[in-house]
Amino acid sequence: QVTLVESGGGSVQAGGSLSLSCEASGFTISMGWFRQSPGKEREGVAAVNSYGMPNYADSVKGRFTISKVNAKNTVFLQMNSLKPDDTGTYYCAASRGSSTILRETAFNWWGQGTQVTVSS
């Protein structure tokens, strides 16, 4: 069993930046971020594996950067040029597979979520 501890998030105005981090208690290969807004289904945002291969949702390409420090089993998400549509609860996810596909079924462990609010 792997526990994920998220940190970061908060509130920012549109155009601003926020960063998220997530540390896993055990060995992982792929880690990623999903988000859920009120009334919407949870969607994949970005994922990366230990080989440094990232995958981004089209809605965040060019604005978000995901990175992973393998030695610390920690993943970071730098979010720039934030938009109100980026508002939601962001969940960290991890697996011991190498796939970075943005589907919930590709990940085995989940964090509790951290709130990101972007005001216009």
Side-chain angles (χ1 to χ4, degrees), residues 37-101:
S37 304
K40 295 184 179 180
E41 294 185 353
R42 189 155 59 180
E43 63 175 354
V45 175
V48 65
N49 60 25
S50 295
Y51 311 108
M53 297 175 58
N55 184 28
Y56 297 97
D58 288 343
S59 60
V60 306
K61 283 182 180 176
R63 300 189 297 121
F64 290 12
T65 301
I66 190 169
S67 59
K68 184 176 184 283
V69 177
N70 296 330
K72 296 185 177 182
N73 285 306
T74 300
V75 66
F76 302 91
L77 185 68
Q78 178 64 41
M79 304 181 290
N80 298 328
S81 302
L82 282 161
K83 305 175 181 179
D85 283 349
D86 294 318
T87 294
T89 301
Y90 282 66
Y91 297 90
C92 178
S95 79
R96 289 185 179 153
S98 61
S99 174
T100 56
I101 191 170

Side-chain angles (χ1 to χ4, degrees), residues 16-45:
S17 299
L18 286 173
S19 62
L20 305 178
S21 64
C22 172
E23 182 175 1
S25 63
F27 173 73
T28 63
I29 294 178
S30 292
M31 297 183 75
W33 294 93
F34 288 70
R35 68 186 179 192
Q36 187 168 23
S37 304
K40 295 184 179 180
E41 294 185 353
R42 189 155 59 180
E43 63 175 354
V45 175

